[in-house]
Amino acid sequence: MAHPPVLALRGITKRFGGVQALVDVDLQVRAGEVVALAGDNGAGKSTLIKVISGVSPADRGVIEWEGHLVQIKRPHDAHALGIATVYQDLAMCDNLDVVGNLFLGREIDRVGILDEVEMERRARDLMHALSIRIPDVRVPVAALSAGQRQAVAISRSLMGAPKVLLLDEPTAALGVEQTSHLLDLIEEVRDRGMAIILISHNMGDIKAVADRVAVLRLGRNNGLFDVSTVTQEQIISSVTGAADNAVAHRSKGDEEAWP
Amino acid sequence: MSRGGPHRDGGPGSAGPVTADGERRTRGWQDNLREYALDVRAGVRDGERGPLLVIAGLIVIWIVFQGLDDKFLSPRNLSNLSVDIVGTGLVAVGIVFVLLIREIDLSVGSVSGLAGAAFAVLNVNHGVPEWLAVIVAVAVGTAVGAFHGVFHAWLGVPAFVVTLAGLLIWNGLTLYLLGASGTINIDEEGLVASLTSHHFGDDLAAYAVAALGTAGYVLAARRRRSRHRAAGMPFRSEGEIWLRTGLLAVVAFAAAVTLNRFQGLPLALLIFLVVLVVSDYVLRRTRYGRRVFALGGGVEAARRAGIGVERVRVAMFMVSGTLAAVGGLFVASGLTSASPTTARAAGSGMLLINAIAAAVIGGTSLFGGRGSPWSVLLGVVVIQSIASGMGLLGVQDAVQFMITGGVLLAAVAADALSRRAQARRGRP
């Protein structure tokens, strides 16, 4: 393998009191690849995202970044490595406009005075480059549709030029057309060489945009599939536990996925 | 004046349906003007252009009071009005800072009374030089604000409880300070007294301020326009800039002429305008101001963006305490005294209610993240016009209380309705 994965997790274990949230979970993602993370409610998807984003570090396990061992103990660590997360609630300031949200916490200024023109110019360029259609970057995000808000949240997460993007159920609140715009955006971002981990319940989205799909069940790996060769039924049976043997579902040509 | 947060630099004109390629450039200014008028109409319908409704309301109030008493619109009464708004207005600017982060400060009336009493006791009873007593009085306000802020931000006590307790504590302290001496009359020729009594007798002063304000506005607007144009972004049309400048100039020079027909530009009004310009600039154009708005828009979003939420909270209560103290000095200056009677009045909440009403009437939201110091100017003129008119007509206090309370309730209800209207449009 010429390039090691951007991010590789091995043997991640996390326990909340008496509950084993994650047991020996492995996951890896390469640049320019979308890995979907599927699983039923409570399967540990969100816990895994929190481990990667540093919100709630793992108890045991190894994290490798571009082949090197790293520690992610705080959100700041993840951020410094180049991991950006878009949470389901988006965490936007509804009263601020698109530009204000994009640059929140990283405003362009001269001695404390905001350079609105430069920020607006960059915001427009970014929206244009990502083919995001927003009526006006100066409208408060409260006035945007759910899909537009999601798109703004994703583009905000790209501001720091990250290498790995975590998306937590980005299409959950979207209609059909908005979902298709969002999937276009995800592909656009992937084609720029970003590694994307996409949490989703929606098999259609997974089939449409992901390259591989990793299934979690009851906090354990329960299958890793190549999306081009797997059927929705296989994924679903893996999610629901109808097929519990992970090894049987190992995808072709991905031998070192399970060390 | 602008409201509604740090959108486009200047105000209502920004909401035009600007396309990504700066379409406004290609059309004549008449089209732009027509489009702007349509925008304004749509804005009023959606509950967003509140200031226009308030201005309309103010005109009605003025016409009614002028009809009842023809002294109401006399230069003398309007000039007094322009001084009387300053105490309440400064307190209300502090309230705006706190409202922007979606909190409330109920102690401002008591704090302003405390500052006035602290100044009077230090200066008159203890012979402390006036300048030093002023600094101490203002610092007391800042410290009280920090005290509230720490209780709220770090101990997690709801702000309205902290400041409600503060309302009683600081009012008690004021009465305690004044207890020994009763009413203290301050030096009528002194620094604090001149805050409200000094007028720039030279006609030139008022005209110069009006001209400076207008010129400053037009220069800033044109500079912004050329920068946007250079960057290939949509910009305001010439026609719109000149229309706004024209309106501003008419209001500013009409005010200057009126003031000059009495005693000239009051020092108090000048100070108030400077405070408004500075605080508006800080809130809208600086990184710090952006944090304040962000906190009002979403605490969690602000926190994740790396904003020190607790520190901003404490700072806002400090601003509010400081401006309450400064406003208190203007109140004491107007009365040229600090007395247990006025302290009790401060504790009764009239100043507090007027200040909150002024902020909310002008368009600052109680729900956080939306508003501007300029909203205070509009709101406080409305509040003080009602008070002044009722004073001229000899309406008794009991009725004034009911009317002021009703106005506050109406303003808050309008705020809540406009918020609902926006939520309806905002979230499909």
PDB file of all heavy atoms in Angstrom, chain B residues 200-224:
ATOM      1  N   PHE B 200     -23.511  74.142  24.502  1.00  0.00           N
ATOM      2  CA  PHE B 200     -22.574  74.898  23.687  1.00  0.00           C
ATOM      3  C   PHE B 200     -23.357  76.043  23.055  1.00  0.00           C
ATOM      4  O   PHE B 200     -24.126  75.830  22.117  1.00  0.00           O
ATOM      5  CB  PHE B 200     -21.954  74.000  22.612  1.00  0.00           C
ATOM      6  CG  PHE B 200     -21.152  72.869  23.184  1.00  0.00           C
ATOM      7  CD1 PHE B 200     -21.711  71.611  23.346  1.00  0.00           C
ATOM      8  CD2 PHE B 200     -19.835  73.071  23.581  1.00  0.00           C
ATOM      9  CE1 PHE B 200     -20.972  70.573  23.879  1.00  0.00           C
ATOM     10  CE2 PHE B 200     -19.093  72.036  24.129  1.00  0.00           C
ATOM     11  CZ  PHE B 200     -19.663  70.788  24.277  1.00  0.00           C
ATOM     12  N   GLY B 201     -23.152  77.245  23.603  1.00  0.00           N
ATOM     13  CA  GLY B 201     -23.952  78.383  23.183  1.00  0.00           C
ATOM     14  C   GLY B 201     -23.745  78.763  21.731  1.00  0.00           C
ATOM     15  O   GLY B 201     -24.652  79.264  21.070  1.00  0.00           O
ATOM     16  N   ASP B 202     -22.540  78.525  21.225  1.00  0.00           N
ATOM     17  CA  ASP B 202     -22.234  78.897  19.846  1.00  0.00           C
ATOM     18  C   ASP B 202     -23.031  78.024  18.874  1.00  0.00           C
ATOM     19  O   ASP B 202     -22.955  76.801  18.925  1.00  0.00           O
ATOM     20  CB  ASP B 202     -20.729  78.706  19.604  1.00  0.00           C
ATOM     21  CG  ASP B 202     -20.286  79.369  18.310  1.00  0.00           C
ATOM     22  OD1 ASP B 202     -21.136  79.523  17.408  1.00  0.00           O
ATOM     23  OD2 ASP B 202     -19.102  79.730  18.218  1.00  0.00           O
ATOM     24  N   ASP B 203     -23.795  78.659  17.987  1.00  0.00           N
ATOM     25  CA  ASP B 203     -24.603  77.908  17.022  1.00  0.00           C
ATOM     26  C   ASP B 203     -23.773  76.934  16.209  1.00  0.00           C
ATOM     27  O   ASP B 203     -24.245  75.891  15.770  1.00  0.00           O
ATOM     28  CB  ASP B 203     -25.296  78.875  16.048  1.00  0.00           C
ATOM     29  CG  ASP B 203     -26.492  79.540  16.698  1.00  0.00           C
ATOM     30  OD1 ASP B 203     -26.667  79.324  17.919  1.00  0.00           O
ATOM     31  OD2 ASP B 203     -27.217  80.261  16.000  1.00  0.00           O
ATOM     32  N   LEU B 204     -22.515  77.317  16.005  1.00  0.00           N
ATOM     33  CA  LEU B 204     -21.640  76.514  15.163  1.00  0.00           C
ATOM     34  C   LEU B 204     -21.504  75.086  15.677  1.00  0.00           C
ATOM     35  O   LEU B 204     -21.393  74.141  14.897  1.00  0.00           O
ATOM     36  CB  LEU B 204     -20.261  77.191  15.116  1.00  0.00           C
ATOM     37  CG  LEU B 204     -19.545  77.134  13.771  1.00  0.00           C
ATOM     38  CD1 LEU B 204     -20.440  77.719  12.688  1.00  0.00           C
ATOM     39  CD2 LEU B 204     -18.226  77.884  13.870  1.00  0.00           C
ATOM     40  N   ALA B 205     -21.531  74.922  17.010  1.00  0.00           N
ATOM     41  CA  ALA B 205     -21.288  73.599  17.593  1.00  0.00           C
ATOM     42  C   ALA B 205     -22.305  72.589  17.091  1.00  0.00           C
ATOM     43  O   ALA B 205     -21.940  71.507  16.609  1.00  0.00           O
ATOM     44  CB  ALA B 205     -21.321  73.695  19.111  1.00  0.00           C
ATOM     45  N   ALA B 206     -23.571  72.947  17.192  1.00  0.00           N
ATOM     46  CA  ALA B 206     -24.622  72.010  16.783  1.00  0.00           C
ATOM     47  C   ALA B 206     -24.516  71.710  15.290  1.00  0.00           C
ATOM     48  O   ALA B 206     -24.607  70.552  14.870  1.00  0.00           O
ATOM     49  CB  ALA B 206     -25.991  72.587  17.112  1.00  0.00           C
ATOM     50  N   TYR B 207     -24.287  72.778  14.484  1.00  0.00           N
ATOM     51  CA  TYR B 207     -24.180  72.549  13.036  1.00  0.00           C
ATOM     52  C   TYR B 207     -22.976  71.683  12.717  1.00  0.00           C
ATOM     53  O   TYR B 207     -23.015  70.820  11.839  1.00  0.00           O
ATOM     54  CB  TYR B 207     -24.090  73.879  12.289  1.00  0.00           C
ATOM     55  CG  TYR B 207     -25.367  74.681  12.374  1.00  0.00           C
ATOM     56  CD1 TYR B 207     -25.353  76.025  12.718  1.00  0.00           C
ATOM     57  CD2 TYR B 207     -26.597  74.071  12.106  1.00  0.00           C
ATOM     58  CE1 TYR B 207     -26.530  76.750  12.805  1.00  0.00           C
ATOM     59  CE2 TYR B 207     -27.775  74.782  12.191  1.00  0.00           C
ATOM     60  CZ  TYR B 207     -27.736  76.126  12.547  1.00  0.00           C
ATOM     61  OH  TYR B 207     -28.894  76.827  12.636  1.00  0.00           O
ATOM     62  N   ALA B 208     -21.868  71.931  13.432  1.00  0.00           N
ATOM     63  CA  ALA B 208     -20.651  71.162  13.161  1.00  0.00           C
ATOM     64  C   ALA B 208     -20.889  69.685  13.443  1.00  0.00           C
ATOM     65  O   ALA B 208     -20.482  68.820  12.661  1.00  0.00           O
ATOM     66  CB  ALA B 208     -19.493  71.684  14.018  1.00  0.00           C
ATOM     67  N   VAL B 209     -21.575  69.389  14.563  1.00  0.00           N
ATOM     68  CA  VAL B 209     -21.835  67.987  14.891  1.00  0.00           C
ATOM     69  C   VAL B 209     -22.738  67.359  13.826  1.00  0.00           C
ATOM     70  O   VAL B 209     -22.494  66.244  13.356  1.00  0.00           O
ATOM     71  CB  VAL B 209     -22.464  67.858  16.294  1.00  0.00           C
ATOM     72  CG1 VAL B 209     -22.978  66.439  16.529  1.00  0.00           C
ATOM     73  CG2 VAL B 209     -21.445  68.229  17.351  1.00  0.00           C
ATOM     74  N   ALA B 210     -23.771  68.102  13.407  1.00  0.00           N
ATOM     75  CA  ALA B 210     -24.674  67.583  12.378  1.00  0.00           C
ATOM     76  C   ALA B 210     -23.906  67.336  11.082  1.00  0.00           C
ATOM     77  O   ALA B 210     -24.061  66.292  10.431  1.00  0.00           O
ATOM     78  CB  ALA B 210     -25.819  68.560  12.147  1.00  0.00           C
ATOM     79  N   ALA B 211     -23.044  68.298  10.716  1.00  0.00           N
ATOM     80  CA  ALA B 211     -22.285  68.154   9.474  1.00  0.00           C
ATOM     81  C   ALA B 211     -21.299  67.000   9.575  1.00  0.00           C
ATOM     82  O   ALA B 211     -21.158  66.200   8.642  1.00  0.00           O
ATOM     83  CB  ALA B 211     -21.548  69.461   9.171  1.00  0.00           C
ATOM     84  N   LEU B 212     -20.619  66.904  10.720  1.00  0.00           N
ATOM     85  CA  LEU B 212     -19.651  65.823  10.909  1.00  0.00           C
ATOM     86  C   LEU B 212     -20.327  64.458  10.822  1.00  0.00           C
ATOM     87  O   LEU B 212     -19.816  63.540  10.169  1.00  0.00           O
ATOM     88  CB  LEU B 212     -18.989  65.953  12.280  1.00  0.00           C
ATOM     89  CG  LEU B 212     -17.650  66.672  12.331  1.00  0.00           C
ATOM     90  CD1 LEU B 212     -17.188  66.836  13.766  1.00  0.00           C
ATOM     91  CD2 LEU B 212     -16.618  65.886  11.525  1.00  0.00           C
ATOM     92  N   GLY B 213     -21.477  64.345  11.483  1.00  0.00           N
ATOM     93  CA  GLY B 213     -22.197  63.074  11.474  1.00  0.00           C
ATOM     94  C   GLY B 213     -22.585  62.691  10.065  1.00  0.00           C
ATOM     95  O   GLY B 213     -22.356  61.561   9.618  1.00  0.00           O
ATOM     96  N   THR B 214     -23.143  63.655   9.326  1.00  0.00           N
ATOM     97  CA  THR B 214     -23.570  63.373   7.958  1.00  0.00           C
ATOM     98  C   THR B 214     -22.378  63.030   7.080  1.00  0.00           C
ATOM     99  O   THR B 214     -22.400  62.045   6.332  1.00  0.00           O
ATOM    100  CB  THR B 214     -24.298  64.600   7.373  1.00  0.00           C
ATOM    101  OG1 THR B 214     -25.269  65.032   8.331  1.00  0.00           O
ATOM    102  CG2 THR B 214     -24.986  64.253   6.081  1.00  0.00           C
ATOM    103  N   ALA B 215     -21.327  63.838   7.189  1.00  0.00           N
ATOM    104  CA  ALA B 215     -20.144  63.605   6.356  1.00  0.00           C
ATOM    105  C   ALA B 215     -19.513  62.260   6.699  1.00  0.00           C
ATOM    106  O   ALA B 215     -19.121  61.491   5.803  1.00  0.00           O
ATOM    107  CB  ALA B 215     -19.130  64.729   6.570  1.00  0.00           C
ATOM    108  N   GLY B 216     -19.431  61.962   7.991  1.00  0.00           N
ATOM    109  CA  GLY B 216     -18.858  60.680   8.404  1.00  0.00           C
ATOM    110  C   GLY B 216     -19.641  59.528   7.816  1.00  0.00           C
ATOM    111  O   GLY B 216     -19.067  58.566   7.303  1.00  0.00           O
ATOM    112  N   TYR B 217     -20.967  59.693   7.837  1.00  0.00           N
ATOM    113  CA  TYR B 217     -21.798  58.615   7.307  1.00  0.00           C
ATOM    114  C   TYR B 217     -21.559  58.423   5.809  1.00  0.00           C
ATOM    115  O   TYR B 217     -21.328  57.311   5.337  1.00  0.00           O
ATOM    116  CB  TYR B 217     -23.278  58.900   7.557  1.00  0.00           C
ATOM    117  CG  TYR B 217     -24.165  57.851   6.946  1.00  0.00           C
ATOM    118  CD1 TYR B 217     -24.350  56.643   7.596  1.00  0.00           C
ATOM    119  CD2 TYR B 217     -24.759  58.049   5.706  1.00  0.00           C
ATOM    120  CE1 TYR B 217     -25.119  55.643   7.017  1.00  0.00           C
ATOM    121  CE2 TYR B 217     -25.527  57.054   5.123  1.00  0.00           C
ATOM    122  CZ  TYR B 217     -25.708  55.867   5.786  1.00  0.00           C
ATOM    123  OH  TYR B 217     -26.456  54.880   5.218  1.00  0.00           O
ATOM    124  N   VAL B 218     -21.574  59.529   5.080  1.00  0.00           N
ATOM    125  CA  VAL B 218     -21.482  59.396   3.624  1.00  0.00           C
ATOM    126  C   VAL B 218     -20.095  58.900   3.215  1.00  0.00           C
ATOM    127  O   VAL B 218     -19.956  58.071   2.309  1.00  0.00           O
ATOM    128  CB  VAL B 218     -21.865  60.718   2.915  1.00  0.00           C
ATOM    129  CG1 VAL B 218     -20.788  61.760   3.064  1.00  0.00           C
ATOM    130  CG2 VAL B 218     -22.164  60.459   1.440  1.00  0.00           C
ATOM    131  N   LEU B 219     -19.065  59.344   3.926  1.00  0.00           N
ATOM    132  CA  LEU B 219     -17.717  58.881   3.593  1.00  0.00           C
ATOM    133  C   LEU B 219     -17.581  57.384   3.841  1.00  0.00           C
ATOM    134  O   LEU B 219     -17.060  56.641   3.014  1.00  0.00           O
ATOM    135  CB  LEU B 219     -16.674  59.653   4.409  1.00  0.00           C
ATOM    136  CG  LEU B 219     -16.438  61.088   3.947  1.00  0.00           C
ATOM    137  CD1 LEU B 219     -15.420  61.781   4.836  1.00  0.00           C
ATOM    138  CD2 LEU B 219     -15.978  61.105   2.494  1.00  0.00           C
ATOM    139  N   ALA B 220     -18.084  56.939   5.012  1.00  0.00           N
ATOM    140  CA  ALA B 220     -17.987  55.520   5.342  1.00  0.00           C
ATOM    141  C   ALA B 220     -18.761  54.689   4.333  1.00  0.00           C
ATOM    142  O   ALA B 220     -18.282  53.654   3.858  1.00  0.00           O
ATOM    143  CB  ALA B 220     -18.506  55.271   6.753  1.00  0.00           C
ATOM    144  N   ALA B 221     -19.967  55.165   3.965  1.00  0.00           N
ATOM    145  CA  ALA B 221     -20.800  54.403   3.032  1.00  0.00           C
ATOM    146  C   ALA B 221     -20.127  54.319   1.665  1.00  0.00           C
ATOM    147  O   ALA B 221     -20.119  53.264   1.022  1.00  0.00           O
ATOM    148  CB  ALA B 221     -22.177  55.044   2.905  1.00  0.00           C
ATOM    149  N   ARG B 222     -19.533  55.425   1.233  1.00  0.00           N
ATOM    150  CA  ARG B 222     -18.911  55.428  -0.096  1.00  0.00           C
ATOM    151  C   ARG B 222     -17.637  54.594  -0.118  1.00  0.00           C
ATOM    152  O   ARG B 222     -17.331  53.921  -1.096  1.00  0.00           O
ATOM    153  CB  ARG B 222     -18.610  56.859  -0.535  1.00  0.00           C
ATOM    154  CG  ARG B 222     -19.869  57.645  -0.853  1.00  0.00           C
ATOM    155  CD  ARG B 222     -19.516  58.988  -1.459  1.00  0.00           C
ATOM    156  NE  ARG B 222     -18.779  58.850  -2.705  1.00  0.00           N
ATOM    157  CZ  ARG B 222     -19.350  58.713  -3.890  1.00  0.00           C
ATOM    158  NH1 ARG B 222     -20.654  58.730  -3.987  1.00  0.00           N
ATOM    159  NH2 ARG B 222     -18.631  58.579  -4.971  1.00  0.00           N
ATOM    160  N   ARG B 223     -16.916  54.612   0.993  1.00  0.00           N
ATOM    161  CA  ARG B 223     -15.692  53.828   1.064  1.00  0.00           C
ATOM    162  C   ARG B 223     -16.037  52.336   0.997  1.00  0.00           C
ATOM    163  O   ARG B 223     -15.409  51.563   0.283  1.00  0.00           O
ATOM    164  CB  ARG B 223     -14.957  54.141   2.370  1.00  0.00           C
ATOM    165  CG  ARG B 223     -13.694  53.348   2.531  1.00  0.00           C
ATOM    166  CD  ARG B 223     -12.784  53.922   3.598  1.00  0.00           C
ATOM    167  NE  ARG B 223     -11.690  53.007   3.820  1.00  0.00           N
ATOM    168  CZ  ARG B 223     -11.737  52.011   4.688  1.00  0.00           C
ATOM    169  NH1 ARG B 223     -12.813  51.844   5.421  1.00  0.00           N
ATOM    170  NH2 ARG B 223     -10.716  51.194   4.840  1.00  0.00           N
ATOM    171  N   ARG B 224     -17.111  51.985   1.761  1.00  0.00           N
ATOM    172  CA  ARG B 224     -17.544  50.593   1.779  1.00  0.00           C
ATOM    173  C   ARG B 224     -17.949  50.174   0.360  1.00  0.00           C
ATOM    174  O   ARG B 224     -17.610  49.106  -0.119  1.00  0.00           O
ATOM    175  CB  ARG B 224     -18.740  50.479   2.723  1.00  0.00           C
ATOM    176  CG  ARG B 224     -18.954  49.134   3.314  1.00  0.00           C
ATOM    177  CD  ARG B 224     -19.569  49.254   4.695  1.00  0.00           C
ATOM    178  NE  ARG B 224     -20.724  50.121   4.712  1.00  0.00           N
ATOM    179  CZ  ARG B 224     -20.959  51.017   5.664  1.00  0.00           C
ATOM    180  NH1 ARG B 224     -20.120  51.171   6.656  1.00  0.00           N
ATOM    181  NH2 ARG B 224     -22.028  51.757   5.627  1.00  0.00           N
TER     182      ARG B 224
END
